[in-house]
Amino acid sequence: MTPTAKSNEAAARTSALAARMTYPGGSVALPLLRGSEGELGVDIQKLRSATGMITMDPGYANTGSCRSAITFIDGEKGILRYRGYPIEELAAKSSFLEVAWLLIHGELPERTELAEFTAEIKRHTMLHENFRQFYAALPKDAHPMPVAAAAIGALATFYQQPDKDRGVHDAVIRLVAKMPTIAAWSYKHSLGQPLLYPRNDLDYCSNFLHMMFATPCEAYPVDPVMAQALDLLLILHADHEQNCSTSTVRMVGSSQANLFASISAGISALWGPLHGGANQAVIQMLERIAAEDGSAAQFVARAKNRNDTARLMGFGHRVYKNHDPRARILKETCARVLQRAGASSELFEIAVQLEEIALHDEYFIERRLYPNVDFYSGIIYMALGIPVNMFTVLFALGRLPGWIAQWLEMREDPDFRIYRPRQIYTGAPLRHYAPPAPGA
Ligand code: SDX
């Protein structure tokens, strides 16, 4: 389904360069890999067999886990491209399902391909009726992220051969098609309202908003501007190379666990407040500043204070040491959506103040901390009427095609093998068991 990794392998192995590592007892030449954008990496696959040593890199901040042709990020320049296309162009001209096809297949779809893909998605939006009992068993205040992780994992009980031949194709379609229904049903369940069937006469985002806000007693006419804003949000979240949740999807998939199990694990990883959960944490931070009538400057001072647990959520990034291009696009979208929704701009104004102060503050400048994708996204979700605890599941909805594309690419990689990092042991030396002394 995706260009074979052979093209990545060729692109990443043309370098004839090598690094030489000298260590107590000898030295070893390590080949350098050069990516298609010229970035270099040291290939340490032979390091342990040649030297008996491993590398250490907590958080994998300096470690590449794979070759990938899906997404390119230049954190220094604030560049993000899906399959070579700048995020700014896709955000302005494409649609979420077109971007999903691009990420999964490697090329933009022909008009007929997109039409068939869209039609196939529409034919799989319903969940098995047994899922109504699944939701009924959950507490009303269940957070939508564990609900989504459990429901996606449960798809493997209904479709029990997701990895065989056409099974992978069908699993991809079912995931993209059913995720909006799974997300909307978790919201409806929390309200005690009926779980609405999807409407296949609506486009992908309008159908989601319909399932979220319509009831059997009252239709919900979807505002096309709001549906388009949601489509943009999903495009901006669609992939982001080897982030925490994507690496989790690859890790689980590397054991040859099926696609549903791998995506379910990725959803759980995304839930963390340092990752996808940050969009919910940003709104809670902005609401706290607004409620305490505290100034943005006071909060920034707290975020800089090592003894204070406050963090400027939605700021900072492992890779971007410049503006996250997604944050720029979202900031521009906020004003348009707030105005259309007639919603209060108080939180947006506080966010803009926080950004303005932080970007001129030595602490943030020195650490190259800029707004990331989560800083403004929650403001738009709120204007769409999405409840705060649903923000991260919307992030998962957007990231789904990226997770799928990365999982497929891993399975087709000629270097495919189970992920199994090593460690430096720091525990007790050899000792022998002795039963506790009597009376001890
Ligand atoms: C996403 O990886 C991806 O691509 C993720 C993502 C995607 O699309 O998949 O882009 C989505 O997860 C965006 C990030 C959302 N998380 C947040 O907004 C939470 C707040 N940000 C941070 O916790 C932090 O910036 C991380 C987790 C995003 C990055 O952490 P790193 O790379 O491990 O950096 P770090 O924590 O070591 O920070 C470096 C320094 C530290 O100060 P010193 O110890 O050097 O004095 O910067 C400080 C940190 O204390 N710092 C912050 C800060 N972020 C980092 N200080 C105040 N506020 C912040 N937000």
Side-chain angles (χ1 to χ4, degrees), residues 240 274-275 306 311-312 314-315 317-318 326 363 399:
H240 214 241
L274 291 187
H275 188 17
R306 276 181 171 282
R311 273 223 155 179
L312 190 50
F315 246 75
H317 198 278
R318 174 64 58 78
R326 302 168 296 177
Y363 173 94
R399 185 53 51 88

Side-chain angles (χ1 to χ4, degrees), residues 280-314:
Q280 178 173 342
V282 167
I283 293 299
Q284 288 160 345
M285 170 185 76
L286 296 175
E287 286 177 335
R288 200 165 49 246
I289 295 171
E292 292 163 1
D293 273 340
S295 74
Q298 281 169 357
F299 191 85
V300 168
R302 287 186 55 204
K304 291 159 51 178
N305 178 353
R306 276 181 171 282
N307 302 320
D308 193 319
T309 55
R311 273 223 155 179
L312 190 50
M313 298 310 280

Side-chain angles (χ1 to χ4, degrees), residues 61 73 236-237 239-246 270 272-279 282 303-304 306 310-321 324 326 363-364 367 369 372-375 395 399:
I73 301 174
L236 294 174
H237 285 84
D239 192 58
H240 214 241
E241 53 132 289
Q242 306 311 316
N243 57 83
C244 177
S245 53
T246 298
L270 187 70
L274 291 187
H275 188 17
N279 54 19
V282 167
K304 291 159 51 178
R306 276 181 171 282
R311 273 223 155 179
L312 190 50
M313 298 310 280
F315 246 75
H317 198 278
R318 174 64 58 78
V319 177
Y320 287 121
K321 300 311 172 190
D324 181 334
R326 302 168 296 177
Y363 173 94
F364 292 88
R367 290 166 179 79
L369 303 175
N372 60 50
V373 69
D374 294 304
F375 194 61
F395 190 144
R399 185 53 51 88

Side-chain angles (χ1 to χ4, degrees), residues 54-380:
I54 63 166
T55 58
M56 270 299 283
D57 187 19
Y60 305 126
N62 306 285
T63 296
S65 62
C66 62
R67 296 176 191 82
S68 179
I70 297 170
T71 291
F72 174 70
I73 301 174
D74 181 326
E76 299 302 320
K77 297 177 186 154
I79 290 172
L80 170 59
R81 298 184 198 136
Y82 295 161
R83 297 287 189 181
Y85 293 96
I87 190 65
E88 295 81 1
E89 291 181 24
L90 294 172
K93 300 172 185 169
S94 187
S95 68
F96 176 60
L97 287 184
E98 185 176 58
V99 165
W101 176 280
L102 170 67
L103 289 169
I104 293 169
H105 294 276
E107 299 296 336
L108 286 167
E110 303 290 336
R111 203 177 290 275
T112 49
E113 286 172 326
L114 182 58
E116 283 162 17
F117 181 55
T118 303
E120 207 176 358
I121 295 283
K122 288 189 175 205
R123 276 199 305 278
H124 290 275
T125 51
M126 286 211 294
L127 286 170
H128 190 291
E129 281 298 300
N130 287 7
F131 266 100
R132 289 182 182 280
Q133 298 161 54
F134 167 84
Y135 278 85
L138 297 171
K140 268 174 62 67
D141 58 351
H143 193 287
M145 284 298 273
V147 174
I152 292 287
L155 289 179
T157 67
F158 291 90
Y159 311 106
Q160 297 182 9
Q161 297 294 331
D163 283 4
K164 299 274 180 296
D165 309 326
R166 199 174 156 74
V168 174
H169 170 86
D170 291 346
V172 168
I173 295 294
R174 284 173 171 138
L175 281 164
V176 177
K178 297 178 192 306
M179 186 66 180
T181 311
I182 287 169
W185 280 20
S186 66
Y187 175 57
K188 283 303 197 188
H189 174 68
S190 73
L191 298 179
Q193 287 186 5
L195 311 180
L196 291 194
Y197 289 112
R199 270 186 50 191
N200 293 342
D201 60 311
L202 298 175
D203 63 62
Y204 194 78
C205 289
S206 300
N207 175 43
F208 172 71
L209 294 172
H210 154 74
M211 289 189 287
M212 283 284 290
F213 302 123
T215 69
C217 319
E218 197 170 345
Y220 176 79
V222 176
D223 179 342
V225 171
M226 297 308 195
Q228 197 280 328
L230 178 58
D231 198 83
L232 170 64
L233 277 158
L234 298 183
I235 289 174
L236 294 174
H237 285 84
D239 192 58
H240 214 241
E241 53 132 289
Q242 306 311 316
N243 57 83
C244 177
S245 53
T246 298
S247 299
T248 301
V249 169
R250 280 178 171 258
M251 171 72 81
V252 172
S254 76
S255 73
Q256 295 196 350
N258 66 53
L259 183 55
F260 297 129
S262 305
I263 298 298
S264 173
I267 293 173
S268 296
L270 187 70
W271 191 15
L274 291 187
H275 188 17
N279 54 19
Q280 178 173 342
V282 167
I283 293 299
Q284 288 160 345
M285 170 185 76
L286 296 175
E287 286 177 335
R288 200 165 49 246
I289 295 171
E292 292 163 1
D293 273 340
S295 74
Q298 281 169 357
F299 191 85
V300 168
R302 287 186 55 204
K304 291 159 51 178
N305 178 353
R306 276 181 171 282
N307 302 320
D308 193 319
T309 55
R311 273 223 155 179
L312 190 50
M313 298 310 280
F315 246 75
H317 198 278
R318 174 64 58 78
V319 177
Y320 287 121
K321 300 311 172 190
N322 196 325
H323 281 269
D324 181 334
R326 302 168 296 177
R328 284 184 194 276
I329 296 167
L330 287 168
K331 183 179 180 182
E332 290 159 17
T333 306
C334 276
R336 175 161 55 85
V337 171
L338 287 169
Q339 192 268 329
R340 179 76 175 200
S344 157
S345 58
E346 182 187 19
L347 298 187
F348 177 53
E349 286 158 16
I350 294 172
V352 170
Q353 282 174 31
L354 285 170
E355 179 183 2
E356 191 57 27
I357 293 166
L359 293 187
H360 293 89
D361 183 293
E362 201 41 49
Y363 173 94
F364 292 88
I365 295 169
E366 186 187 310
R367 290 166 179 79
R368 304 175 76 187
L369 303 175
Y370 292 86
N372 60 50
V373 69
D374 294 304
F375 194 61
Y376 287 107
S377 56
I379 292 167
I380 300 173

